[in-house]
Amino acid sequence: MAPTAHTLSQLAERFGLGLHGDGQTTIAGVGTLARAGAGELSFLANPRYRSELAHTQASAVVLRPGDAVASPVPCLIASDPYVAFARIAALFDPRQPPAAGTHASAVIDPSARIAADAHIGAFVSIGARSVVEAGAIVGAGCVIGEDCAIGAGSELVARVTLVTRVRIGQRVLIHPGAVLGADGFGLARDGGRWIKVPQLGGVVIGDDCEIGANTTIDRGALDDTVLEEDVRLDNQIQIAHNVRIGAHTAMAGCVGVAGSTRIGRNCLIAGAVGINGHIEICDNVVVHAAGVVLSSITEPGEYASGTLLQEHRAWRRNATRYKHLDELARKLAALAKESER
Amino acid sequence: MAPTAHTLSQLAERFGLGLHGDGQTTIAGVGTLARAGAGELSFLANPRYRSELAHTQASAVVLRPGDAVASPVPCLIASDPYVAFARIAALFDPRQPPAAGTHASAVIDPSARIAADAHIGAFVSIGARSVVEAGAIVGAGCVIGEDCAIGAGSELVARVTLVTRVRIGQRVLIHPGAVLGADGFGLARDGGRWIKVPQLGGVVIGDDCEIGANTTIDRGALDDTVLEEDVRLDNQIQIAHNVRIGAHTAMAGCVGVAGSTRIGRNCLIAGAVGINGHIEICDNVVVHAAGVVLSSITEPGEYASGTLLQEHRAWRRNATRYKHLDELARKLAALAKESER
Amino acid sequence: MAPTAHTLSQLAERFGLGLHGDGQTTIAGVGTLARAGAGELSFLANPRYRSELAHTQASAVVLRPGDAVASPVPCLIASDPYVAFARIAALFDPRQPPAAGTHASAVIDPSARIAADAHIGAFVSIGARSVVEAGAIVGAGCVIGEDCAIGAGSELVARVTLVTRVRIGQRVLIHPGAVLGADGFGLARDGGRWIKVPQLGGVVIGDDCEIGANTTIDRGALDDTVLEEDVRLDNQIQIAHNVRIGAHTAMAGCVGVAGSTRIGRNCLIAGAVGINGHIEICDNVVVHAAGVVLSSITEPGEYASGTLLQEHRAWRRNATRYKHLDELARKLAALAKESER
């Protein structure tokens, strides 16, 4: 079923936006400033792309009030054009939810409970005492272990694994390859060998969370590993056992969080950040890309670590000096003292 | 089947522990100091959590001799309370091993050999000449290629892939999403294009290893990639072709090891460490979180690299200076020389 | 079927190589200098392994002209021994392509089109309007969504997921656990909550690419995420939405590339490198291991960032000084100025 077309006037009214230019302009799709064509709506939010506005072939653009004058085509005016565009673009998403019902190949434990309007795809297995609530989608190849729950309206796209004792809230979206509820990495050293510390807790995912492809979230050792509501995790993130992440916090790809750490609400953790175990990060913290957080952060703000990229030979010389930075600082202090005499 | 309850006296005798307080105290579960309730045993090992002892609602606590006096409840006394707790907690793990037998949906090559008491789950495929030994568990959705072997008592939890020529020892535990035996990344540059170097070796995993969720271990190019016994790998670790990891070495999440590197025995590699290819790390080395190991390490000890997190603007200023650190050091040396005159 | 044996003379003629020593030497396999035995061919390319030449038990060795004199056994002479060995080793790869045909357990949408000589393995599901071209292999447990295409001669080894709108070129090799076409991480902040920005683009993979185990490549937000021809990605790499990677670029394991970044042709990105979003890297750039690329690179060359590993206590002192490096540089400048008076 093709998405319906909408006029600019209809869109302006529906989403409470301003309108400059011909309200009868018809929009049947969306695209970038550089690539959108006739019948498509684009947007300008990131100033980096402002130079593309003048040449756009889009039929209309969503933008901030101050940018309207520079637009060669009709505009929808929004204080936050990215939010407005996100809402409008959803009208043009061609994906249809899969039909309700359980695929003939699925293997479901008799003690599991599946809502009548849930969708269970091909090659899905669901273990004892697990529950799939109304309207939930469990895509092809997912493995749901024992004592798990998938809340109403949630979607496991495909090949997601919930190992055991994983409770997913409502409207949660989990991408392929994600593994929730695997054993935490709990080891004790006993006479030169490792013994495994039993991992008996679960995982709790709040409502409206999104979890990226191949991301892993381990079950707690005793208590649960917890994501509060509206936490957004990108791909290939590792969340160790007993971590707690506060509501509305977002993490970009390849972040790792070690065990028992608590992260506050409304934090933004950029890509490839590493976060130590047994620490606390307060609310409203931003950590920049590839930062390494070894100790607790108690003040909101923006944080970073690392060094800047440079030509390899120059880097090598500087990196060699860094190994003696303390000595260098001491020499400088001595020299300064001497010069004071 | 609910786990049985045990008295403190029984636990003390069974595990060779000291006992303070009422030996008839009944224990039916385990929990953290902060959350355990009536009938539950907790533990105090990490001094970070000592302040929680006074308020615990646990019925008993495992702790070191010196901490017993501060406990408001009966105690089991252990020189290593974490090890003692790990052993006791295993009594309360409710998981039952799955029943022996092969699920009707599994697809097994006629030349494969499966022990009568092994468990083969739903949607498992097993290729030519592969072997599953006594008591091994191959969970739902696993793909076992050709010429693989899974030793007695080992468990592939679910959705594990053994591509080809992967030999797993006894009592090995592999978590979902792990991929063992994929081709190593072997490329040769030929006239501006890449040609693939055939990857013909295998993977050998020693007894008692544990391999985390979504961890990848490539097959060797010619020889095998090897984990010796009791190696413990957390989630999302990447082990390239022809790496060898010594017995009892443990690695936390997100570590990457490049090709042909040899890592010694009893090493501890913290999270997000990167290890270069074609180097050697000797026994008993500790690398701290996010360290980057470019050259061989020939002396046991603790190593680190990187910089510390700080407020973003201050970091930016320092990082800019780092690009000229060598110049700065030269200036200082010149100044020192001058002041000597 | 065992691979056939070849004489050195036959190999020299077939691959246009020089020959020193007995051309009737029979080669039935390949191995490393250290491990190859009778009837096996080895190679010497990396000078690091030159010391192993004198003791090799191989029946012959491929090496550079200058190394022939040091060889105790017959040699094939090549200007690039690694390339020559790669070509020869392919003769000894025992893997047979799986038989054409679709496994009885596969679930294929009626609107999908599968070439008669393609191989579709056990537990594969293929969605509406997807296409598998001639000779392609879709291994066990793969999930192919809607509107995907897999080009002639390509292989998805096992358990690969193509979510939606993923178009794979010819002769592409994708290893287990890879996820292509999952939603990009597109979020807009709206009154303290996140709203999802619909991800409507696709993924385009050029001919002759290779994609490693558990690597993730997200679909574009509006346009496509693109790998040009002959791009080689190792394991556990994360490619965010709308990234474009130029032909013949190779990336080692654990690299992360943030959204909308463009990487040039013939680049070499070492392991664990992090690349920021919305930047450009020109052709012929090398980034060394664990480098962090925050800004665009406009000149070909070799780049690096980070610090060198050292003993932990010394590192700690230096890292503490780094937090005050700007202050230190200012003090030095002041001192230098003063000494000039």
Side-chain angles (χ1 to χ4, degrees):
Chain A
M1 195 180 69
T4 326
H6 304 261
T7 66
L8 273 195
S9 296
Q10 288 168 337
L11 294 175
E13 189 180 352
R14 181 162 177 173
F15 295 102
L17 305 172
L19 169 64
H20 278 219
D22 182 2
Q24 293 314 303
T25 308
T26 301
I27 300 299
V30 289
T32 55
L33 283 173
R35 300 251 185 148
E40 291 185 328
L41 176 75
S42 190
F43 72 106
L44 172 58
N46 186 336
R48 211 185 277 259
Y49 297 102
R50 188 171 283 142
S51 65
E52 296 179 356
L53 180 59
H55 310 291
T56 191
Q57 300 297 309
S59 285
V61 179
V62 189
L63 39 61
R64 286 195 190 79
D67 288 321
V69 63
S71 175
V73 295
C75 310
L76 294 171
I77 312 294
S79 56
D80 187 332
Y82 195 46
V83 166
F85 183 78
R87 293 192 189 289
I88 296 170
L91 301 178
F92 300 103
D93 189 340
R95 276 185 289 191
Q96 302 294 322
T102 296
H103 192 275
S105 63
V107 172
I108 301 188
D109 189 274
S111 66
R113 185 167 58 74
I114 314 294
D117 66 347
H119 167 87
I120 309 293
F123 313 124
V124 167
S125 65
I126 300 186
R129 297 173 301 280
S130 286
V131 175
V132 180
E133 299 286 1
I137 296 169
V138 181
C142 288
V143 176
I144 313 299
E146 302 183 346
D147 300 299
C148 295
I150 300 171
S154 287
E155 178 176 4
L156 282 55
V157 174
R159 262 189 55 225
V160 169
T161 305
L162 309 185
V163 182
T164 194
R165 293 191 62 181
V166 179
R167 281 150 287 159
I168 307 287
Q170 301 190 2
R171 298 172 306 279
V172 170
L173 177 57
I174 310 185
H175 295 288
V179 178
L180 282 70
D183 281 351
F185 195 57
L187 297 170
R189 192 87 172 183
D190 185 33
R193 297 190 67 82
W194 295 108
I195 65 169
K196 185 174 174 67
V197 180
Q199 302 291 302
L200 306 173
V203 174
V204 176
I205 305 294
D207 294 341
D208 300 302
C209 288
E210 183 169 355
I211 295 170
N214 285 352
T215 281
T216 50
I217 304 178
D218 280 350
R219 67 190 301 209
L222 294 165
D223 300 334
D224 295 325
T225 304
V226 178
L227 270 62
E228 297 178 0
E229 57 156 346
D230 195 29
V231 168
R232 307 289 178 140
L233 302 187
D234 195 359
N235 297 348
Q236 297 201 40
I237 288 173
Q238 151 69 357
I239 306 294
H241 55 180
N242 299 109
V243 166
R244 185 179 189 100
I245 304 180
H248 316 300
T249 283
M251 298 188 178
C254 306
V255 168
V257 183
S260 299
T261 279
R262 299 174 69 96
I263 298 176
R265 296 160 62 95
N266 301 307
C267 292
L268 294 174
I269 311 296
V273 163
I275 300 180
N276 207 355
H278 296 278
I279 65 172
E280 294 198 25
I281 296 179
C282 66
D283 296 348
N284 299 303
V285 163
V286 175
V287 183
H288 285 254
V292 177
V293 187
L294 296 180
S295 320
S296 290
I297 300 178
T298 57
E299 293 293 324
E302 298 192 24
Y303 297 87
S305 69
T307 80
L308 298 169
L309 198 81
Q310 65 184 142
E311 189 274 324
H312 181 255
R313 275 169 306 182
W315 167 79
R316 187 89 202 179
R317 283 193 298 271
N318 294 326
T320 302
R321 294 290 186 181
Y322 180 82
K323 291 177 79 169
H324 306 283
L325 185 56
D326 182 57
E327 194 185 323
L328 195 147
R330 285 173 195 278
K331 273 188 192 158
L332 177 62
L335 211 57
K337 205 163 193 176
E338 200 174 292
S339 87
E340 277 167 21
R341 278 184 221 150
Chain B
M1 194 179 71
T4 327
H6 304 261
T7 66
L8 273 194
S9 296
Q10 288 168 336
L11 294 174
E13 190 180 352
R14 180 163 178 173
F15 295 102
L17 305 172
L19 170 63
H20 277 218
D22 181 3
Q24 292 315 302
T25 307
T26 302
I27 300 298
V30 289
T32 55
L33 283 173
R35 300 253 187 146
E40 291 185 328
L41 176 76
S42 190
F43 73 106
L44 172 58
N46 186 337
R48 209 184 277 260
Y49 296 102
R50 188 170 285 142
S51 64
E52 295 179 357
L53 179 59
H55 311 291
T56 191
Q57 300 297 310
S59 285
V61 179
V62 189
L63 38 61
R64 288 195 189 79
D67 287 322
V69 60
S71 175
V73 295
C75 310
L76 293 171
I77 311 294
S79 55
D80 188 332
Y82 195 45
V83 166
F85 183 77
R87 294 193 189 288
I88 296 170
L91 301 179
F92 300 103
D93 190 339
R95 278 186 288 191
Q96 303 293 323
T102 297
H103 192 274
S105 63
V107 172
I108 301 187
D109 188 275
S111 66
R113 184 168 58 73
I114 314 294
D117 65 346
H119 167 89
I120 310 294
F123 313 124
V124 168
S125 65
I126 300 186
R129 298 172 303 279
S130 285
V131 175
V132 180
E133 300 286 2
I137 297 168
V138 181
C142 288
V143 176
I144 313 299
E146 302 182 348
D147 299 300
C148 294
I150 300 171
S154 287
E155 178 175 3
L156 282 56
V157 174
R159 262 189 56 226
V160 168
T161 305
L162 309 185
V163 182
T164 193
R165 293 191 62 182
V166 179
R167 282 151 286 160
I168 307 287
Q170 300 190 2
R171 298 172 305 278
V172 170
L173 177 58
I174 310 185
H175 295 288
V179 178
L180 282 70
D183 282 352
F185 195 58
L187 298 169
R189 192 87 173 184
D190 185 33
R193 297 190 67 82
W194 294 108
I195 65 168
K196 184 173 173 68
V197 179
Q199 303 292 302
L200 306 173
V203 174
V204 176
I205 305 294
D207 295 341
D208 300 301
C209 288
E210 183 168 355
I211 295 171
N214 285 352
T215 281
T216 50
I217 304 178
D218 280 351
R219 67 190 300 210
L222 294 165
D223 301 334
D224 295 326
T225 303
V226 178
L227 269 61
E228 297 178 0
E229 57 157 347
D230 195 29
V231 168
R232 308 290 177 140
L233 303 187
D234 196 359
N235 297 348
Q236 298 202 40
I237 288 173
Q238 150 69 358
I239 306 295
H241 54 180
N242 298 109
V243 166
R244 184 178 190 101
I245 303 179
H248 317 300
T249 284
M251 298 189 178
C254 307
V255 167
V257 183
S260 299
T261 279
R262 298 174 68 98
I263 297 176
R265 297 160 61 94
N266 300 308
C267 293
L268 294 174
I269 311 296
V273 163
I275 301 180
N276 208 355
H278 296 277
I279 64 172
E280 294 198 25
I281 296 179
C282 66
D283 296 349
N284 299 303
V285 163
V286 175
V287 183
H288 284 253
V292 177
V293 186
L294 296 180
S295 322
S296 290
I297 300 179
T298 56
E299 293 293 326
E302 298 193 24
Y303 297 88
S305 70
T307 79
L308 298 169
L309 199 81
Q310 64 184 144
E311 189 274 323
H312 180 255
R313 274 168 308 181
W315 167 79
R316 188 90 203 179
R317 283 193 299 271
N318 294 326
T320 302
R321 294 289 187 180
Y322 181 83
K323 292 177 79 170
H324 306 283
L325 184 56
D326 181 57
E327 196 185 321
L328 194 146
R330 286 174 194 277
K331 274 189 192 156
L332 177 61
L335 211 56
K337 206 163 192 176
E338 201 174 291
S339 85
E340 278 167 20
R341 278 185 221 150
Chain C
M1 195 180 68
T4 326
H6 304 261
T7 66
L8 272 193
S9 296
Q10 289 168 338
L11 294 174
E13 190 180 352
R14 181 164 178 173
F15 294 103
L17 304 174
L19 170 64
H20 278 218
D22 181 3
Q24 293 315 302
T25 307
T26 302
I27 301 298
V30 289
T32 55
L33 283 174
R35 299 252 187 147
E40 291 186 329
L41 176 75
S42 190
F43 72 107
L44 172 58
N46 186 336
R48 210 185 276 259
Y49 296 102
R50 187 170 285 143
S51 65
E52 295 180 357
L53 179 59
H55 311 290
T56 191
Q57 300 297 310
S59 284
V61 179
V62 189
L63 38 61
R64 288 194 188 78
D67 287 322
V69 61
S71 174
V73 295
C75 310
L76 293 171
I77 311 295
S79 56
D80 188 331
Y82 196 46
V83 166
F85 183 79
R87 293 192 189 290
I88 297 171
L91 302 179
F92 300 102
D93 190 338
R95 276 185 289 191
Q96 303 294 323
T102 296
H103 192 275
S105 63
V107 172
I108 302 188
D109 189 275
S111 66
R113 184 167 58 74
I114 315 293
D117 65 347
H119 168 88
I120 310 294
F123 313 124
V124 168
S125 64
I126 300 187
R129 298 172 303 281
S130 286
V131 175
V132 180
E133 300 286 2
I137 296 169
V138 181
C142 289
V143 176
I144 313 299
E146 302 182 348
D147 300 300
C148 294
I150 299 171
S154 287
E155 178 175 3
L156 281 55
V157 175
R159 261 189 54 225
V160 169
T161 305
L162 309 184
V163 182
T164 195
R165 293 191 62 182
V166 179
R167 282 150 286 160
I168 307 287
Q170 300 190 3
R171 297 172 305 278
V172 170
L173 177 57
I174 310 185
H175 295 288
V179 178
L180 282 70
D183 281 352
F185 195 58
L187 298 171
R189 191 87 172 183
D190 185 33
R193 298 190 68 82
W194 295 109
I195 65 169
K196 183 173 174 68
V197 180
Q199 302 291 303
L200 306 174
V203 173
V204 175
I205 305 295
D207 295 341
D208 299 302
C209 289
E210 183 169 354
I211 295 171
N214 284 352
T215 281
T216 50
I217 304 179
D218 280 350
R219 67 190 302 208
L222 294 166
D223 300 333
D224 295 326
T225 303
V226 178
L227 270 61
E228 298 178 0
E229 56 156 348
D230 195 27
V231 168
R232 307 290 177 141
L233 302 187
D234 195 0
N235 297 348
Q236 297 203 38
I237 288 174
Q238 149 70 357
I239 306 295
H241 55 180
N242 299 110
V243 166
R244 184 178 189 101
I245 304 180
H248 316 300
T249 284
M251 297 189 178
C254 307
V255 168
V257 184
S260 299
T261 279
R262 298 174 69 96
I263 298 176
R265 296 161 61 94
N266 300 308
C267 293
L268 294 174
I269 311 295
V273 163
I275 301 181
N276 207 355
H278 296 277
I279 64 172
E280 294 198 25
I281 296 179
C282 66
D283 296 349
N284 299 303
V285 163
V286 175
V287 183
H288 284 254
V292 177
V293 187
L294 296 180
S295 320
S296 290
I297 299 178
T298 58
E299 294 292 326
E302 297 192 24
Y303 297 87
S305 69
T307 79
L308 298 170
L309 198 80
Q310 63 184 144
E311 188 274 323
H312 180 255
R313 274 168 308 180
W315 167 78
R316 188 89 202 179
R317 283 193 299 270
N318 294 327
T320 302
R321 294 290 188 181
Y322 181 83
K323 292 177 77 169
H324 306 284
L325 185 57
D326 181 57
E327 194 185 324
L328 194 146
R330 285 172 195 279
K331 273 189 192 157
L332 177 61
L335 211 56
K337 206 164 191 175
E338 200 174 292
S339 86
E340 278 167 22
R341 277 186 221 150

